[in-house]
Amino acid sequence: MAWIQTIDVAEAQGELLDTYRTMMARPLPAAYRPPHGGAPGIIRAHSLDPSLMKAVFGASGALHKGPLSSAEYELIAAVTSRMGQCLY
Amino acid sequence: MAAQVLRDPRGLVLPPRERALSGLAALLAEAPWTLEDEDVDRLRAASLSDEEIAHAVAIVGMFSHFTRAADATAIAPDYTSPLPRLEIDMSREPLPRPAPEDWPRRPARLRFDRLLPDIAGGFARWRDYVFTATAALSEQDRATLARAAAFQLCDAGALSEHAHASPSSPREETLAGFAEKLTLTPWRMEQADVEALRSIGLDDRAVLHAIAVVGYQNQASRVRLALG
């Protein structure tokens, strides 16, 4: 149970639902789609403010179009996460 | 390789280019104020272009936010992974920070906005939203959170941007304490840290905004310390 309220796709309405639909329509590697079928937790964590969600994931979406390969991207992300001892 | 990252991210056995990238990520994640010109030269010697170096720095920045958003909200890991669960060392201390007079102050190394204009534009829109005052948090609240995070990252430039935001009330002390802990030891975040924000009147949306300011600043200070 997260420490703040989150709203998943199934309960979303209005701007949040539109934002989720836009984000879920983006091409995503299969590894980024959780088996529960809803939005990944890191996206859901931003769900109390759809405009914040758009700002953050707009930036991360741009980051996927940079010059490094996907494998290099994942290596950097994994090392960063590991250095911060982040379970997620 | 992923299992190696879990075990020992500093001891990865990799080709030179990947070793240079993982070394940059480890350094920038843990001690961004220590990055020297020689570190950038080593990346170039490993065949990385300035655009690729800027991209790598931006990825570290982005995940400096994502990991803190995850740690401060306690969202459950929900991706399928064949890897063993990470064992968290709760006793691990952050590296000691240098005194402010010893923080890096150097001219820009690389121009992020010129090298990667689309990514820099996305990051600028992210900043604009995070620092826009709303009913959730005032401009002063946001500056207090950003200053406290930037101080722990030894980011003299951000500190001067938020020079007016030293905590001067119990409310601001609470916000600054939250930002410091989430910056220094995100692995030790607990529900009590969120409750502390609620005790000064923040609702869930305002807590999310507080996390977003700290996460953004953890990105921005790392990018500034690496690239200028």
Side-chain angles (χ1 to χ4, degrees):
Chain A
M1 184 74 178
W3 296 333
I4 64 170
Q5 184 194 0
T6 64
I7 305 165
D8 207 345
V9 183
E11 295 85 41
Q13 297 180 333
E15 186 188 359
L16 178 60
L17 181 58
D18 291 342
T19 307
Y20 269 138
R21 282 177 173 155
T22 303
M23 291 188 56
M24 306 293 266
R26 296 188 308 185
L28 268 182
Y32 281 5
R33 293 192 185 276
H36 54 63
I42 192 61
I43 297 177
R44 220 166 50 244
H46 296 75
S47 59
L48 290 183
D49 186 343
S51 296
L52 175 66
M53 190 188 276
K54 276 187 264 196
V56 170
F57 291 94
S60 74
L63 211 46
H64 280 285
K65 296 169 188 157
L68 294 175
S69 70
S70 297
E72 289 167 337
Y73 179 106
E74 295 298 337
L75 172 64
I76 294 163
V79 171
T80 304
S81 183
R82 177 64 183 84
M83 293 305 293
Q85 300 200 92
C86 180
L87 271 183
Y88 195 82
Chain B
M1 184 193 299
Q4 279 189 61
V5 171
L6 263 184
R7 272 199 310 275
D8 179 12
R10 288 195 184 278
L12 294 174
V13 180
L14 294 168
R17 180 180 164 94
E18 284 76 12
R19 193 167 62 241
L21 287 170
S22 65
L24 172 70
L27 181 68
L28 211 43
E30 190 173 38
W33 63 90
T34 64
L35 195 129
E36 301 285 354
D37 290 343
E38 292 73 21
D39 296 307
V40 177
D41 291 341
R42 269 194 290 277
L43 292 161
R44 289 180 176 133
S47 84
L48 286 151
S49 68
D50 286 356
E51 287 82 359
E52 289 171 328
I53 294 168
H55 191 201
V57 168
I59 295 166
V60 176
M62 191 79 234
F63 279 82
S64 298
H65 165 71
F66 281 152
T67 52
R68 284 170 177 79
D71 288 332
T73 57
I75 51 167
D78 56 1
Y79 294 117
T80 306
S81 172
L83 298 172
R85 190 178 171 91
L86 173 67
E87 292 295 326
I88 294 181
D89 177 6
M90 298 295 277
S91 67
R92 184 177 134 204
E93 296 294 337
L95 292 181
R97 270 54 181 167
E101 58 269 25
D102 296 327
W103 291 358
R105 291 173 178 78
R106 64 172 75 83
R109 290 189 178 102
L110 299 171
R111 287 290 304 269
F112 186 35
D113 56 339
R114 288 190 190 160
L115 292 167
L116 300 172
D118 291 347
I119 295 173
F123 279 32
R125 286 187 290 279
W126 175 15
R127 182 193 194 286
D128 288 347
Y129 190 75
V130 163
F131 282 103
T132 300
T134 64
L137 283 179
S138 69
E139 184 179 342
Q140 184 68 19
D141 288 339
R142 290 167 198 270
T144 300
L145 288 157
R147 182 192 179 281
F151 191 92
Q152 298 304 330
L153 294 162
C154 310
D155 179 358
L159 211 65
S160 65
E161 282 172 22
H162 301 297
H164 60 292
S166 292
S168 59
S169 68
R171 174 188 172 85
E172 290 172 4
E173 294 283 0
T174 300
L175 291 170
F178 181 85
E180 287 167 10
K181 183 172 181 182
L182 186 52
T183 299
L184 284 171
T185 51
W187 54 88
R188 286 192 202 148
M189 294 304 288
E190 51 195 351
Q191 192 161 7
D193 299 309
V194 171
E195 295 304 329
L197 296 184
R198 291 203 177 98
S199 76
I200 58 168
L202 274 63
D203 62 14
D204 279 19
R205 192 166 186 274
V207 171
L208 172 60
H209 277 229
I211 294 166
V213 173
V214 177
Y216 175 83
Q217 193 59 53
N218 269 269
Q219 173 271 119
S221 287
R222 285 179 169 84
V223 170
R224 186 204 303 267
L225 289 163
L227 304 180

